[in-house]
Amino acid sequence: MKSSIRTERKKEIIAGFYELCKRDGLENVSIAKIGNHLKMPPSLIIHYFSNKRLLVLGLIDFILHQYQLIYKPIILKSEKDSKLDPNLLVDRLFSREWNLLFDDGVFFSCYAFTFRDKTIKEEYKKLHLKLRKTLKTILDKDEGLSSKNTELLAEKIFVVIEGAYYYLSMIDDPKEYNHKLGIFKGQVLDLIQP
Amino acid sequence: MKSSIRTERKKEIIAGFYELCKRDGLENVSIAKIGNHLKMPPSLIIHYFSNKRLLVLGLIDFILHQYQLIYKPIILKSEKDSKLDPNLLVDRLFSREWNLLFDDGVFFSCYAFTFRDKTIKEEYKKLHLKLRKTLKTILDKDEGLSSKNTELLAEKIFVVIEGAYYYLSMIDDPKEYNHKLGIFKGQVLDLIQP
DNA sequence: ATTTATATTGAATGAACATTCAATAAACAA
DNA sequence: TTGTTTATTGAATGTTCATTCAATATAAAT
């Protein structure tokens, strides 16, 4: 295993960086703090990520990967199904089986970078396009939708999902949360079977 | 005019803070930099906002106020109309007459705070609820919608608008941008007149 | 005009910051 | 085993950070 130490250490550092971001906010995490958290000198962190920008890019890579993972079980389950069950799909799309390693706060802190960094913006865009494409192939399995533009449909579905999670993040009360979640699920269902 | 100097200076400082956030990102703006930008010593900034947290809260107040202003012309115009024209309303809702003093990057940087600060989260939520309420009263003017639950409708419309702007922020190419914008406008229109 | 309150300045503080460097330890290849 | 590369350490760098303080200037109130 060539350079496995390097790979493992880099993973460890990013994971530690992520944990502190979750707890303290991206803007309050320094290299020294990460070092302290992981019990390693800051110079070791710089040894692997030669400056802070690269460290942040590493974090963004990580968080986008985790974001993708949220949708993985949905895709796998839907691929197994012989036919498309709209209700089941909608439930799955809104289930967001939360990964311990995905945090909306960190995600949006990183998202804010897209407004000043073209590379980061492209990475974010690429992921979002990919998720839409995947949803399209799932929708294409349904014969009832064969007359429909499933690409358009996937676009419309995801815009509701993303708007919903943006908005639902502000709501703490579980009752209110579930009520609104129901509304948005219904909205997506209406798109699939009008 | 009691303490008008204080009020004006505070405004000036927040405006300068905002400008630098827009240019350099919230995480890269220090009190010293704001002072430099406005040609005043950092101690004067601390004189008005006794610590950085209060300064950030001031910025959030400001950006939420500006966010509200985006929708003001839409509301004013719609209030003047005697009847509701769905096409016109959708055009207005998606026009986002960009204020020079509103920047999505700063907005989302501040939004990220909602995940770690309950007060900020409440402020964000309050604004979003208010905008939905306003849209409901606009929708209520239409007799054709009298049989409908306009509160529900406003909720569904805004979730598309917010999801749309989140997603559209990643798209630079004007052609692609307008194409997708058209899709989301259509989606909202379908909600109003099924 | 005098007192009182506020605004403004600039210098100073210690802590935290990202990054560099030279030295040592461990892993790996020959 | 020896030589070479990589991992790890800890001390040191100069810079920037938020905040404090005492001194002065300006405005408001009496």
Side-chain angles (χ1 to χ4, degrees):
Chain A
M1 275 193 202
K2 205 174 136 194
S3 78
S4 83
I5 294 177
R6 187 175 174 85
T7 311
E8 287 307 302
R9 265 279 188 271
K10 289 188 84 172
K11 269 192 207 168
E12 186 191 357
I13 291 166
I14 294 294
F17 187 16
Y18 161 79
E19 281 165 28
L20 292 183
C21 284
K22 191 170 150 179
R23 205 188 63 191
D24 303 336
L26 180 58
E27 70 281 6
N28 297 314
V29 180
S30 67
I31 293 176
K33 278 181 187 166
I34 301 169
N36 211 50
H37 183 63
L38 299 173
K39 283 163 204 326
M40 60 174 74
S43 50
L44 189 55
I45 294 169
I46 293 279
H47 173 70
Y48 289 112
F49 299 88
S50 27
N51 56 58
K52 207 182 177 184
R53 189 185 131 78
L54 289 181
L55 196 59
V56 171
L57 288 180
L59 178 72
I60 289 173
D61 248 31
F62 172 79
I63 204 82
L64 289 184
H65 182 71
Q66 297 300 322
Y67 188 68
Q68 223 177 336
L69 287 187
I70 292 175
Y71 287 99
K72 206 148 215 171
I74 304 163
I75 294 161
L76 286 174
K77 284 175 197 159
S78 299
E79 275 170 355
K80 273 185 191 161
D81 299 341
S82 52
K83 279 207 169 188
L84 182 90
D85 178 345
N87 272 290
L88 198 58
L89 177 65
V90 170
D91 274 344
R92 283 172 184 167
L93 282 172
F94 279 93
S95 77
R96 274 214 178 182
E97 306 192 2
W98 291 119
N99 192 315
L100 260 182
L101 295 176
F102 184 83
D103 177 85
D104 279 297
V106 181
F107 179 79
F108 277 107
S109 284
C110 292
Y111 174 73
F113 278 102
T114 65
F115 293 92
R116 275 168 301 110
D117 189 314
K118 283 223 167 189
T119 313
I120 297 172
K121 189 191 266 190
E122 271 311 308
E123 277 194 69
Y124 263 80
K125 188 188 166 188
K126 214 168 60 190
L127 172 61
H128 284 78
L129 291 180
K130 192 177 165 188
L131 290 173
R132 278 155 174 77
K133 218 171 199 170
T134 309
L135 180 58
K136 174 183 155 40
T137 67
I138 291 173
L139 294 171
D140 280 334
K141 281 173 48 179
D142 190 49
E143 288 153 20
L145 294 173
S146 61
S147 64
K148 287 219 173 185
N149 184 341
T150 50
E151 188 182 336
L152 204 68
L153 193 52
E155 200 82 86
K156 289 179 179 180
I157 291 172
F158 258 114
V159 94
V160 175
I161 294 172
E162 285 152 7
Y165 277 110
Y166 161 80
Y167 179 53
L168 290 170
S169 292
M170 300 170 207
I171 295 165
D172 284 323
D173 178 50
K175 220 177 139 181
E176 191 185 352
Y177 184 97
N178 285 318
H179 174 240
K180 305 222 161 163
L181 184 62
I183 293 174
F184 304 135
K185 277 188 179 183
Q187 187 171 351
V188 170
L189 213 55
D190 284 346
L191 286 169
I192 299 177
Q193 38 184 201
Chain B
M1 278 192 202
K2 203 175 141 195
S3 77
S4 83
I5 293 176
R6 186 175 174 85
T7 311
E8 286 308 302
R9 265 280 187 271
K10 288 188 86 170
K11 269 193 207 167
E12 186 191 358
I13 291 166
I14 293 294
F17 188 16
Y18 162 77
E19 282 165 29
L20 291 183
C21 285
K22 192 170 150 180
R23 207 188 61 192
D24 302 336
L26 180 58
E27 70 281 6
N28 298 313
V29 180
S30 68
I31 293 176
K33 277 182 189 168
I34 301 169
N36 211 50
H37 183 63
L38 299 174
K39 281 160 204 329
M40 59 174 73
S43 51
L44 189 56
I45 294 170
I46 293 278
H47 173 70
Y48 289 112
F49 300 88
S50 30
N51 56 56
K52 209 184 176 184
R53 188 184 132 79
L54 290 180
L55 196 59
V56 171
L57 288 179
L59 178 72
I60 289 174
D61 248 31
F62 172 79
I63 204 82
L64 289 183
H65 183 72
Q66 296 300 323
Y67 188 68
Q68 222 176 338
L69 286 187
I70 292 175
Y71 288 99
K72 205 145 215 173
I74 303 164
I75 295 159
L76 287 175
K77 282 175 198 159
S78 300
E79 276 170 353
K80 273 186 191 161
D81 297 342
S82 51
K83 280 208 168 184
L84 181 88
D85 178 343
N87 272 289
L88 198 58
L89 176 64
V90 171
D91 274 344
R92 283 171 183 167
L93 282 172
F94 280 93
S95 76
R96 274 213 179 181
E97 307 193 0
W98 292 119
N99 193 313
L100 260 181
L101 294 177
F102 183 83
D103 177 84
D104 279 296
V106 181
F107 178 79
F108 277 106
S109 285
C110 292
Y111 173 72
F113 279 100
T114 65
F115 293 91
R116 276 168 300 111
D117 190 312
K118 283 222 167 192
T119 313
I120 296 173
K121 190 193 265 193
E122 272 311 307
E123 276 196 67
Y124 263 79
K125 188 187 167 188
K126 214 168 60 188
L127 172 61
H128 284 78
L129 291 179
K130 190 175 166 189
L131 290 173
R132 279 157 173 76
K133 216 169 200 173
T134 309
L135 181 57
K136 175 182 155 41
T137 67
I138 291 173
L139 294 170
D140 280 336
K141 282 175 46 178
D142 190 47
E143 288 152 20
L145 294 174
S146 62
S147 63
K148 288 221 172 182
N149 185 339
T150 49
E151 189 182 338
L152 204 68
L153 193 53
E155 201 81 85
K156 289 179 178 180
I157 290 172
F158 258 115
V159 93
V160 175
I161 293 173
E162 285 152 7
Y165 276 109
Y166 161 79
Y167 180 53
L168 289 170
S169 291
M170 300 171 205
I171 295 164
D172 285 323
D173 177 51
K175 222 180 138 178
E176 191 185 352
Y177 185 98
N178 284 317
H179 173 241
K180 306 222 159 163
L181 183 63
I183 294 173
F184 304 134
K185 278 188 178 182
Q187 187 171 351
V188 170
L189 212 54
D190 284 347
L191 287 168
I192 300 177
Q193 39 183 201

